[in-house]
Amino acid sequence: MTRASPSILFVCLGNICRSPMAEGALRQAADAAGLALTIDSAGTSAYHIGSPPDGRAIRTAALHDANIAGLRGGQVADEDFERFDLIFALDEANLADLRERAPADCHAEIALLMDCVPGRAGEAVADPYYGGEEGFAETWTDVAAAAQALVKQFGG
Ligand code: 4NP
C-alpha cells in the first residue's frame, strides 16, 4: 500500500456508526496533514440507506472536532471495487462479505482496517450500535489510530 494519493472506502454493517466515524477521522487527519485523499464510507447492508449517522456517532465525532452530521448512509456497490484503491472493513464479518462480493479482477485492495495500525493487525473495530455512548468513544479511539497510521503511510 504505497500509492501516493489513494481513494479509500471504509465499510461496516450499517454505515451509521463505525465507517462514518472512520471517514470523519481520516478526513480530519488528512486535512491537518495537508494530504489530498478521496474518502468515502458504505455499509454491507441496506438497513440505513439515506440515513444520517447515529446520534451517538455524531456526538462522539463532534467531541473530537469532527463534523459527520452531513454524511448519509449508503450500501457497497459493485463499482466500488473498481472506483476505490483501498477498501477497509471494520470487522471480520464485513471483510468476509466484501471478499465474497468482490469480482475476480478486483482493482481495490481489501483489508481489515486495524491491520494498518502497528501491533493491532487482525483486530476488529467493535460494533458499538447495541451498547452505550462509551462504546462510541472506543470506536473513535480505534478509527483515529487508523487514520493517523494511514496519513503517516501516505506521506502526511
Ligand atoms: P455500524 O453499526 O455497522 O457500525 O454502522 C450498526 C448500525 C446498525 C445496525 C447494526 C450495526 N443495525 O442492525 O441496524
Side-chain angles (χ1 to χ4, degrees):
M1 294 200 294
T2 53
R3 295 168 196 85
S5 188
S7 51
I8 299 173
L9 179 68
F10 295 109
V11 175
C12 61
L13 175 62
N15 193 212
I16 56 167
C17 299
R18 292 165 293 174
S19 62
M21 291 175 83
E23 179 178 349
L26 185 57
R27 285 188 190 284
Q28 183 182 56
D31 282 353
L35 199 59
L37 298 174
T38 299
I39 307 164
D40 205 349
S41 65
T44 55
S45 77
Y47 301 157
H48 299 284
I49 292 173
S51 301
D54 187 285
R56 296 166 295 179
I58 293 173
R59 284 194 294 281
T60 303
L63 287 173
H64 298 275
D65 299 318
N67 182 358
I68 62 168
L71 300 180
R72 293 295 177 266
Q75 189 176 21
V76 174
D78 288 344
E79 56 266 29
D80 291 338
F81 295 98
E82 270 309 306
R83 225 158 54 83
F84 290 94
D85 298 313
L86 297 165
I87 302 180
F88 286 116
L90 276 282
D91 68 27
E92 303 87 341
N94 313 143
L95 183 66
D97 283 349
L98 285 166
R99 291 226 162 108
E100 194 171 51
R101 195 162 163 183
D105 60 346
C106 184
H107 163 78
E109 185 176 328
I110 302 171
L112 197 59
L113 178 61
M114 296 309 279
D115 283 354
C116 72
V117 182
R120 301 200 57 187
E123 288 186 29
V125 176
D127 185 349
Y129 184 66
Y130 294 104
E133 203 100 11
E134 68 285 353
F136 285 78
E138 202 174 305
T139 302
W140 184 267
T141 301
D142 288 348
V143 299
Q148 288 303 329
L150 288 171
V151 163
K152 194 169 167 194
Q153 187 175 331
F154 297 120

